[in-house]
């Protein structure tokens, strides 16, 4: 899982705080985006997020989530790291 952000900016900072509080920070690769150099307005970044804003969460399956209010949602983060609740249930050994 990757977070495209810029340290010190408000919305990316909120994401980092939530990840740190939930203990997920070590499991995330942070990719710093050069806002001064307008990297967020280049075609490669706009493919990830057409609105060209930060932060952007890239899930392991290649899905991008760019809504800053949705990224901190613990179910989004937990699903990205641990898989869906249904997938976790399938992995549990049978108790019979």
């Amino acid at each position: 899982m990757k977070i495209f952000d810029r340290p010190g900016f408000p919305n990316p900072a909120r994401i980092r705080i939530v990840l740190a509080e939930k203990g997920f920070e070590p499991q995330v690769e942070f990719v710093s985006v050069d806002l001064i150099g307008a990297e967020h307005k280049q075609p490669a970044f706009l493919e990830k997020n057409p609105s060209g804003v930060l932060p952007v969460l890239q899930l392991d399956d290649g899905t991008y989530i760019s809504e800053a209010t949705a990224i901190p949602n613990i179910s989004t983060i937990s699903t990205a790291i641990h898989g869906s609740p249904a997938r976790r249930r399938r992995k549990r050994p049978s108790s019979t």
Side-chain angles (χ1 to χ4, degrees):
M1 182 166 70
K2 295 180 183 179
I3 299 280
F4 295 85
D5 73 351
R6 182 69 181 182
F9 281 69
N11 285 338
R14 179 176 24 177
I15 305 308
R16 286 177 178 261
I17 290 168
V18 170
L19 289 169
E21 286 178 348
K22 302 299 180 183
F24 294 142
E25 204 171 24
Q27 301 169 40
V28 177
E29 177 185 348
F30 290 93
V31 180
S32 184
V33 177
D34 180 9
L35 296 179
I36 304 300
E39 181 181 354
H40 63 301
K41 300 298 181 185
Q42 301 303 311
F45 187 83
L46 293 173
E47 287 179 17
K48 297 171 182 59
N49 181 8
S51 65
V53 297
L54 297 176
V56 176
L57 168 65
Q58 179 184 2
L59 302 178
D60 292 335
D61 69 0
T63 302
Y64 292 98
I65 300 172
S66 59
E67 183 59 45
T69 56
I71 294 171
N73 181 322
I74 189 63
S75 64
T76 300
I77 295 168
S78 180
T79 298
I81 293 171
H82 303 293
S84 70
R87 186 182 311 156
R88 288 193 304 271
R89 282 193 296 274
R90 286 192 301 265
K91 288 183 180 180
R92 290 185 187 151
S94 174
S95 60
T96 57

